[in-house]
Amino acid sequence: MLRKICFVTGTRAEYGLLKFLMEEIKNSEFFQIQLVVTGSHLSQRHGYTVKEIINDGFKIDSLLDIKLTKDGNNAVCNSIAKCIQLF
């Protein structure tokens, strides 16, 4: 039985750090990757980088759009709350 490992990515910066591990898991015969994409990946203002993930060959299991509209402490707190609510 394959073990499922879920990755959650919200920014291009941490996706870049996770990408190589995700590729190893995706190509493993022992593990199955599950991918949740949220945050700035789904923001046009931040480059809509979800396309980069798809172009890298990853299947996205879930998109959690938290509607990023502003930067700043309050906006970040609201975004985190929205993401937790959607999970």
Side-chain angles (χ1 to χ4, degrees):
M1 180 174 178
L2 295 177
R3 298 262 180 175
K4 189 180 290 186
I5 298 178
C6 180
F7 289 87
V8 179
T9 178
T11 69
R12 183 185 336 200
E14 48 86 356
Y15 171 69
L17 297 172
L18 291 173
K19 179 180 171 182
F20 299 104
L21 177 59
M22 289 169 51
E23 287 174 347
E24 290 294 320
I25 300 297
K26 183 175 105 173
N27 296 324
S28 170
E29 61 186 72
F30 303 107
F31 300 102
Q32 177 184 1
I33 189 171
Q34 183 177 30
L35 184 57
V36 177
V37 177
T38 188
S40 64
H41 286 303
L42 304 177
S43 168
Q44 293 292 340
R45 187 171 144 222
H46 295 95
Y48 199 67
T49 55
V50 67
K51 294 183 292 185
E52 182 180 325
I53 297 168
I54 294 167
N55 289 340
D56 286 342
F58 291 105
K59 175 188 165 283
I60 298 171
D61 295 284
S62 185
L63 297 171
L64 299 180
D65 192 356
I66 56 176
K67 309 286 188 219
L68 291 176
T69 57
K70 298 178 183 176
D71 292 325
N73 292 340
N74 286 341
V76 170
C77 288
N78 288 334
S79 296
I80 291 170
K82 180 70 173 178
C83 197
I84 291 169
Q85 185 181 34
L86 290 171
F87 262 99

